[in-house]
Amino acid sequence: MVPPLVLDIDGTLTDADGHLDPRAFEALPSWDAPVILATGKAFPYPVSLCHYLGLPQTVIAENGGVVLADGEVTFTGDREAAQAAADEFVARGGDLGWDAADTANRWRETEIIARLDADEALLREVAAEFDLEVIDTGFAYHIKTPGVEKGVGLERVCETMDYDPEEFVAVGDSVNDASTFGVAGRSFAVANADDVAKEAADTVLGESYMDGTLSVLESLRENE
């Protein structure tokens, strides 16, 4: 039997342009074990992706701030504190970088994000005043509650679904995947991963993006 998976989305199920690789529609629905999508994106994004892939809606969103498993949703991040810090950042001359619609944050429930061209030093200074942290995922700066991580989200999913985290195989590419790598039984960083993810992973792949993820899935099918 193949093992359950916990997969990042951006940089892991996408191509170099950030577009979802169509091969995911073949590889993931046919996987004969649970597949968890774990992302820094807002909660609706992985839920929607599960819907279109035909997967059960089991997700870790907003870097672990929101977890959905077996129809149960739990929240751990403090959205009000993150919003207050973002407002103060803007009041001091900072710019989150989004347009008026702000679809990057509109549906976030536990954190706030800023574009990577925002004033990082000011953002970190303000976040610290609100006892929050800022992480750079390569997509954005995330203003979030300390201790809220994807790895903690995986542990919560496993408690709900009665799995051992050691059973899971994780694939990712970013600093926010490092905590998942520390919880899952086996972990793989795709070749395009950042240094933190590569250091945390059991194995650094030779292939990038979805090519790397597919290489893991093919190997697991052959060996399991």
Side-chain angles (χ1 to χ4, degrees):
M1 294 180 62
V2 294
L5 306 172
V6 53
L7 305 176
D8 174 53
I9 299 176
D10 291 283
T12 304
L13 299 181
T14 60
D15 60 24
D17 295 320
H19 302 143
L20 184 68
D21 193 303
R23 292 174 293 177
F25 288 90
E26 298 178 5
L28 300 187
S30 63
W31 195 254
D32 194 23
V35 177
I36 300 172
L37 300 182
T39 180
K41 284 192 175 295
F43 185 34
Y45 284 87
V47 172
S48 178
L49 183 53
C50 284
H51 171 77
Y52 286 109
L53 287 170
L55 296 174
Q57 293 179 357
T58 308
V59 305
I60 301 165
E62 301 179 23
N63 297 301
V66 188
V67 172
L68 168 59
D70 275 352
E72 177 184 342
V73 181
T74 57
F75 304 90
T76 54
D78 188 343
R79 166 63 189 246
E80 291 185 2
Q83 185 65 64
D87 291 344
E88 180 63 19
F89 171 69
V90 171
R92 296 189 193 179
D95 184 355
L96 295 176
W98 313 113
D99 59 21
D102 194 3
T103 57
N105 287 306
R106 181 174 293 271
W107 302 288
R108 286 185 185 272
E109 303 198 50
T110 64
E111 62 175 23
I112 295 291
I113 65 172
R115 285 171 52 101
L116 291 177
D117 55 5
D119 185 338
E120 181 183 3
L122 177 61
L123 190 65
R124 292 186 182 278
E125 176 185 328
V126 173
E129 294 173 9
F130 285 81
D131 296 322
L132 301 173
E133 66 179 1
V134 175
I135 64 167
D136 175 0
T137 62
F139 166 71
Y141 294 126
H142 297 246
I143 310 169
K144 58 185 281 291
T145 305
V148 174
E149 298 180 325
K150 287 185 184 182
V152 176
L154 176 58
E155 291 174 334
R156 190 175 305 116
V157 169
C158 288
E159 290 173 3
T160 300
M161 298 179 64
D162 197 25
Y163 272 85
D164 185 337
E166 284 286 325
E167 299 178 65
F168 277 83
V169 171
V171 187
D173 77 312
S174 183
V175 60
N176 62 348
D177 296 309
S179 62
T180 312
F181 293 170
V183 172
R186 287 176 284 176
S187 58
F188 297 84
V190 288
N192 54 287
D194 63 27
D195 290 341
V196 175
K198 288 179 177 178
E199 180 67 25
D202 296 324
T203 302
V204 177
L205 300 165
E207 304 89 349
S208 299
Y209 302 101
M210 188 63 177
D211 287 336
T213 301
L214 285 176
S215 74
V216 173
L217 302 190
E218 291 166 2
S219 176
L220 292 173
R221 284 190 189 278
E222 292 172 359
N223 296 328
E224 301 290 341

